[in-house]
Amino acid sequence: MDEITFAVLGTGGIGRRALEVSQHKDALTPVAACDRHGVAVDFDGLDVDELLAATEGNIDNEVATDGGSGGTTAAEGGVKQHGQQRGVVASSQARPSADPIQEIIDRGDGIDAVLLALPNYEHDFIPRTADRFVDGDYAGVLVDVLKRSRVISMLDDRSEDFEEAGITFICGAGATPGLLTGAAALAAQSFVEVTDVDIHWGVGLKSGYEDNRGTVREDIAHLPGYDIETARDLSEAEIESIIDDHDGVIEFEDMEHADDVLLERAGVCDAEDVTVGGILDVRNDEKPTTTTVRVTGRTFDGETATNTFELGDETSMEANVNGPALGYLETGVRRNRAGEYGVFGPVDLLPGF
Amino acid sequence: MDEITFAVLGTGGIGRRALEVSQHKDALTPVAACDRHGVAVDFDGLDVDELLAATEGNIDNEVATDGGSGGTTAAEGGVKQHGQQRGVVASSQARPSADPIQEIIDRGDGIDAVLLALPNYEHDFIPRTADRFVDGDYAGVLVDVLKRSRVISMLDDRSEDFEEAGITFICGAGATPGLLTGAAALAAQSFVEVTDVDIHWGVGLKSGYEDNRGTVREDIAHLPGYDIETARDLSEAEIESIIDDHDGVIEFEDMEHADDVLLERAGVCDAEDVTVGGILDVRNDEKPTTTTVRVTGRTFDGETATNTFELGDETSMEANVNGPALGYLETGVRRNRAGEYGVFGPVDLLPGF
């Protein structure tokens, strides 16, 4: 494939790892990265090593809002500031900006794809960010790694806007839904009817809570008694306390995960036939359980069977999010160049069912 | 997706099952089917039940040649003729034809996709059939389920012709390479470098040798001491004798299977890092081993791991060939409608690596 230029919005755990993984992809050139404090743009390609080294430990894990509609931030943690500058601005390639996202939109002509590695504590934060790209006449690919079912319909509501703008929006392109829903869609090909999709993940946080605050906070929102609003309002001490209560190992059942919606909209099965759960071990490298996708269905010749996809326990959450995200990004660019616009789930980019 | 009309060339095991499986796919309407004896065309949709019932046991398993370049047929078996008419002509929807494939080409304007379920004893039979579609000004999708590595390059040689004609050719879209190579490409997404792809299949021939002569003959060509030419020249008695020598269970190692070429051309790994083997049990329904894809690689964070994809033992070879073949066919039509022409492997239709 021809060279692809891309930008990363957000330089937290996912954004940083996406930049790092892209170093291994010949087809991909990262040309812009931003957080709320600043922006780095270089159409010859960012020096990713410098940017990551300079901002190491300088991650902005603050609960994000776009400040546009009275949203407030409740986290007291804010930016981990080890350098002289806050967030990405610690890199010599970056400079402070009052509106970093707008600066990237304004340079959109040279950017084939944008990875939205933004926190998602307000359901509509990513959809509203997409609106800004539409308003800014961006025509290209937007990719997110979101997990929440209800955001998909917010994006679908914008489908016509994306089509008019020439935007190909790939949603949920990380590990799950992205990789695992993709595996489910492929596994479904043996069947004429899928009766059950069971996705069970294990994540060991190699880098611990410190570098994955956003992910942990969002996962806590899936626990009984919490939702996205209450999780957003938790202090870091409260989060630590929840982790302590679970001895560092938090188990999730029947999560509201976009896998169900994405499989249903692609016609693979009903959303209610999809079950997503998992175990998060915040304190250990090792996965507490093997990440497994089981797809059960009926074949045309009347048999019932289960096809299975398993990730090796040594693959980190970061590897399983960022490889697929960039893989789907490449596919999105191909679709975009062929003139296909609108909202696509990972499953839509796989063989039809 | 909008409705898709498709034709099947060949009404042997694969062609018949493709028609049957398509009955479960709302988006697909079979409008034409042919074998060497005749052709059935109905743009309102073939009556698949009638066609399959009328031609049951009437399968043309003759070794195919197109008679165009002095090719000869060595099989003495020929058509199993239970009805009054040979092959597909036993259906009330079909009529005899001196050149059934040409009749389908001539009606190509109404056919979005053509599944080439033709035997492949001459390496260039499918490529030469594709040439006929180019010469006949067909603009649409051609799909094959071939397995031989060397045919891919023959198709690649025609890539420019396909592009000029507006043809999207999807090659190797069956169980393997199709489904299993697709699974390998998806499993590869966790890694930045894939070091080893091991594909090991088990096939129990539910319907026995009688209804799968083409498949068994082609598999025998993979055994040590045989190649495609010697396998083509085997009498049915000789094939039965080979099967007897193996007590019905034939094991294959290091097969020349297109999986290697297709993964390499998509950039996933080197062809030499791909191993394909399997066990065929001609006499039992049950699979002699579980079909498994193992993809080993290195993650961006330095770990080595193996991701695994397993097919449920109850899924028949027929289910695993025809579901994916039709799934890739649908994707091919989508690519074609977006103006993407040329030669695509299954992996090319999955997220980029």
Side-chain angles (χ1 to χ4, degrees), chain A residues 17 20-21 24-25 178-179 181-184 186-187 189-192 206 298-301 303-316 318-320 322-328 330-331 334-335 338-340 344 348-353, chain B residues 17 20-21 24-25 178-179 181-184 186-187 189-192 206 298-301 303-316 318-320 322-328 330-331 334-335 338-340 344 348-353:
Chain A
R17 295 292 86 75
E20 189 175 347
V21 174
H24 298 274
K25 309 272 185 185
L179 176 60
T181 308
L186 205 62
Q189 297 286 323
S190 303
F191 307 117
V192 294
K206 194 169 190 162
R298 192 174 52 79
T299 64
F300 81 101
D301 44 6
E303 299 285 347
T304 296
T306 300
N307 291 344
T308 309
F309 181 72
E310 280 188 4
L311 296 180
D313 286 343
E314 303 82 1
T315 60
S316 60
E318 291 84 352
N320 291 319
N322 290 291
L326 295 177
Y328 285 119
E330 287 183 42
T331 306
R334 186 158 162 179
R335 296 284 72 74
E340 290 189 80
F344 299 80
D348 301 318
L349 303 174
L350 287 154
F353 184 72
Chain B
R17 295 293 85 75
E20 191 175 346
V21 174
H24 299 274
K25 309 273 184 184
L179 176 59
T181 308
L186 205 61
Q189 297 287 323
S190 302
F191 308 117
V192 293
K206 194 168 193 164
R298 192 174 52 80
T299 63
F300 82 100
D301 44 6
E303 299 286 346
T304 296
T306 300
N307 291 345
T308 308
F309 181 72
E310 280 189 4
L311 295 180
D313 287 344
E314 302 82 3
T315 60
S316 60
E318 292 83 351
N320 291 318
N322 291 290
L326 295 177
Y328 285 119
E330 287 183 43
T331 306
R334 187 157 162 180
R335 297 283 72 73
E340 289 190 81
F344 299 79
D348 301 318
L349 303 174
L350 288 155
F353 184 72

Side-chain angles (χ1 to χ4, degrees), chain A residues 61-64 72-78 119-122 147-148 205 209 211-223 226-240 242-243 250 252 255 280 282:
Chain A
N61 275 302
E62 198 168 347
V63 171
T72 55
T73 162
E76 62 272 68
N120 190 33
Y121 302 116
E122 293 172 349
K147 309 180 206 171
R148 292 264 161 187
L205 281 189
Y209 170 59
D211 279 349
N212 295 281
R213 297 174 195 217
T215 296
V216 174
R217 185 185 289 269
E218 186 159 350
D219 280 339
I220 283 174
H222 289 287
L223 286 177
Y226 295 92
D227 60 21
I228 206 159
E229 287 75 24
T230 52
R232 190 183 63 204
D233 292 339
L234 291 170
S235 70
E236 294 199 11
E238 286 168 323
I239 288 180
E240 298 274 10
I242 292 168
I243 294 171
I250 311 178
F252 303 90
M255 303 174 76
L280 172 69
V282 178

Side-chain angles (χ1 to χ4, degrees), chain A residues 10-11 33-40 55 58-63 77-81 85-90 94-101 103:
Chain A
T11 54
C34 74
D35 63 11
R36 83 180 57 205
H37 304 286
V39 60
T55 60
N58 219 11
I59 300 170
D60 180 359
N61 275 302
E62 198 168 347
V63 171
V79 182
K80 282 165 65 184
Q81 184 171 345
Q85 303 285 349
R86 290 163 69 86
V88 73
V89 184
R95 52 189 171 66
S97 169
D99 194 346
I101 291 178
E103 295 210 31

Side-chain angles (χ1 to χ4, degrees), chain B residues 199-201 222-224 250-257 275-279:
Chain B
I199 295 176
H200 197 73
W201 51 260
H222 289 288
L223 286 177
I250 311 179
E251 192 156 354
F252 303 90
E253 292 176 10
D254 286 330
M255 303 175 78
E256 183 213 328
H257 237 259
T275 311
V276 180
I279 305 178

